[in-house]
Amino acid sequence: MQNRISSFSPIIDNNSKILILGSIPGVKSLEKQQYYAHPQNKFWKIIFELFHEEFTEDYQERINILKKSHIALWDVIDSCERKGSLDSEIKNEEANQIEELLKNHPNIQAIFCNGGKSFKNLQKILGKNFRIPIYQMPSTSPLHTVSFEKKLDEWKRILEFLK
C-alpha cells in the first residue's frame, strides 16, 4: 500500500450556510493541492452553473465564488492509505473533525455529501438523526456516469438553503 494521504484544510468562513463534503482528494487534486482538480470532475462546472458565474480555471477565483455563495468545502476523511483515486481503494482511514467544525460554524444549515462514500462515512461520524439535514448527492466524479444535466438538476437542491 502507498503512503498515507491527507485531506486539505476546510474552506469555510462565518458566512457559510452549507457544507459540501467529499471523501478525500484524488491523485490529481493532491498533485495540484486543489479541491476537485481532475479536469473531468464536474464539481466546479456544477458550482458555476448553479450561481450563473463565468467558468474559470483560476483556483483562487473558484474559492471566492464558494465563499460569496456561502458554501463551505471539506472532506470526511482526514487521512488514509489509498492506491490511485478510487474510494473503493481507501484503507485505514481517519475521520476529520466534522462535529467540531460544525460547532465552530453554527450558521451551517445543511450538509451535502458528494457521493456515497462521504455520505456513509458522515453517518458513522454524526449518526443518522443529526440535528441538521444531510443529503447524499450524485458524485461529481467522472467515474459516476450519470449525465451532467442530471447531476446539475440534483445539485440544485443546495439553492434551497441559500435564499
Side-chain angles (χ1 to χ4, degrees):
M1 189 52 73
Q2 296 201 345
N3 294 336
R4 268 189 106 65
I5 59 171
S6 298
S7 71
F8 308 137
S9 298
I11 297 169
I12 193 166
D13 62 27
N14 291 332
N15 297 315
S16 298
K17 292 182 179 177
I18 67 162
L19 173 61
I20 297 175
L21 292 172
S23 55
I24 194 162
V27 172
K28 189 59 94 178
S29 293
L30 291 167
E31 283 173 12
K32 289 186 150 196
Q33 288 296 291
Q34 298 178 2
Y35 281 103
Y36 302 104
H38 192 288
Q40 299 305 311
N41 191 299
K42 300 301 183 201
F43 178 80
W44 293 111
K45 188 173 180 191
I46 286 171
I47 293 298
F48 279 76
E49 286 280 330
L50 288 177
F51 297 102
H52 309 288
E53 296 284 349
E54 190 171 330
F55 188 80
T56 181
E57 298 283 337
D58 181 275
Y59 190 65
Q60 189 54 55
E61 186 56 30
R62 290 174 168 187
I63 302 310
N64 292 342
I65 296 293
L66 288 179
K67 288 183 175 181
K68 181 175 103 175
S69 304
H70 308 291
I71 296 173
L73 190 58
W74 205 20
D75 290 308
V76 293
I77 300 171
D78 175 53
S79 68
C80 68
E81 296 171 8
R82 184 187 64 206
K83 187 171 73 180
S85 292
L86 295 176
D87 283 352
S88 60
E89 295 292 324
I90 291 172
K91 309 273 187 266
N92 301 318
E93 60 201 72
E94 302 275 333
N96 262 324
Q97 300 299 312
I98 307 292
E99 284 185 275
E100 185 177 327
L101 183 88
L102 294 170
K103 187 172 74 176
N104 294 332
H105 295 88
N107 288 339
I108 298 291
Q109 300 169 14
I111 301 171
F112 293 84
C113 296
N114 190 349
K117 177 70 173 170
S118 63
F119 183 74
K120 287 178 186 126
N121 280 41
L122 186 62
Q123 286 189 318
K124 288 180 201 167
I125 296 167
L126 300 180
K128 293 186 182 190
N129 298 311
F130 195 65
R131 61 181 170 78
I132 61 176
I134 300 170
Y135 300 96
Q136 179 179 341
M137 305 306 288
S139 173
T140 59
S141 164
L143 295 174
H144 186 67
T145 57
V146 172
S147 73
F148 174 77
E149 290 73 22
K150 181 151 176 48
K151 288 181 186 183
L152 177 63
D153 195 48
E154 291 196 42
W155 276 89
K156 286 178 182 174
R157 174 176 265 173
I158 68 174
L159 297 174
E160 296 169 21
F161 293 89
L162 297 172
K163 292 177 180 169

